[in-house]
Amino acid sequence: MKTAATAGGPARPAPPAEKRKSVAGTRKIVAAGFLLPALVLLGALVVYPIGYSLYRSFFDQAGSSFAGLDNYKEIFTEDSILTAVKNNAIWVVVAPTVSTALGLIFAVLTERVRWGTAFKLIVFMPMAISMLAAGIIFRLVYEQDPDRGVANAVWVGVHDTFAESAGFPKAHPLALAPLKGGSGGSFVTKDPVTAGQQVQLPLVGIAAEKMPSGAKPAKAAQPDDGKITGTAWLDFTKGGGGRPNAIDAKELGLKGIKVEAVKDGKVVASARAGADGTFTLPASADGARLRLPADNFREPYNGLNWLGPSLVTPAIIGSYVWMWAGFAMVLIAAGLASVPRELLEAARVDGANEWQVFRRVTVPLLAPVLAVVLVTLMINVLKIFDLVFIIAPGSAQDDANVLALQLYRSSFGTDSNLGLGSAIAVLLLLLVVPVMLFNIRRMRREARR
């Protein structure tokens, strides 16, 4: 009989082949028992839905008649679904690339600043917010009204810093005022003015809260020989009791309003009213008509329509980048920590500047990590739904449409078509599979190194 030696002891007989087979079989049964619940869940929640969706995609809306490839043809002929396909392509190219690039920049820069850990925490913090909450936040950020939307508040502030803002939208004279409507939305005096004359330019239709800051109570202009003086003011007394075409004590001057003197269609002089509404024009304005140009009355600049048809997709991608750039930064920072510092120092000793070290040494060494981040984000954006559904208003949802949203609308909308919805689901699966296979092959190559 064969024996088996044990360390530090006498030889003992080897177990019979039948016993070894029995132990191996028991282990397989135990392993199968542990795996069975997971396999049942996998089959019920993954395999069966995929198989049934593939089956259902070949049937019509009611599910009673075989439709062949008609549902797949509709995907590439229906305008709304084609828009979703186009937007998904934009998402896959732009969102992962920008998020990965920002994550790389943040990871490299935070190694060089004193408060790098705190900065990483701040950048990563949006990952703790759900997609639903992030969508609500950015729906408010992109609000059109600058008084409510942060994006337009900043944009309008920058615009008004470099460009003249609107003055008095919707302002107009009363019928009894010495002004009448001119061309292009301007107002002109009914009669020409003469040197030494005091001109009154009363307007109404301006809300008190829309008056320029710093406006003071209006006062009559002092006469000036050889020149034309006047007052432009809001001819309205809060609470009533004012007189038309007369400056009352509580009425404010139209600070900053532009006044032009026009002769034969040409502007010969111009001035802006002071805080009390008074202005002065030179002698060249004698015999001219005074005009309040239309620029005084245009609507104020209210920023961009972030959720309009042309900007809604870039705006939603911006919110996605805000959330996921921190994820990319953390993974890349972990990879950067394992980069041999000797290689970076050797490159600097050889005369490479920081940009060359970053481009020719750091990035190539981080290529495997960058690939992981990029592929992960690509899979993530292929099924993006929450942000688009919440942020895009109903009027722009067709322009922001993506495949996951179209899948929801086709399957559960008012005119649901489960055949078409199943076909879109299969298309999404086919788009995700190549990316997953690429990721698996890359991981196997890394494991063999």
Side-chain angles (χ1 to χ4, degrees), residues 302-349:
N302 285 321
L304 299 174
N305 186 9
W306 295 101
L307 300 181
S310 58
L311 291 177
V312 62
T313 295
I316 299 174
I317 290 176
S319 66
Y320 178 90
V321 171
W322 175 77
M323 289 192 67
W324 287 87
F327 167 82
M329 177 196 66
V330 170
L331 291 187
I332 295 171
L336 191 61
S338 64
V339 172
R341 302 301 166 180
E342 300 82 13
L343 296 178
L344 303 180
E345 294 301 326
R348 294 187 181 101
V349 170

Side-chain angles (χ1 to χ4, degrees), residues 135-145 149 151-152 303-317 319 387-400:
I136 295 172
I137 290 170
F138 274 87
R139 181 66 181 266
L140 296 174
V141 166
Y142 292 133
E143 183 73 36
Q144 178 69 37
D145 186 356
N152 265 342
L304 299 174
N305 186 9
W306 295 101
L307 300 181
S310 58
L311 291 177
V312 62
T313 295
I316 299 174
I317 290 176
S319 66
L387 290 178
V388 180
F389 183 73
I390 297 167
I391 296 177
S395 59
Q397 209 165 76
D398 286 341
D399 300 285

Side-chain angles (χ1 to χ4, degrees), residues 155-170:
W155 190 265
V156 170
V158 172
H159 173 273
D160 288 351
T161 300
F162 298 98
E164 185 181 345
S165 60
F168 309 96
K170 300 182 180 178

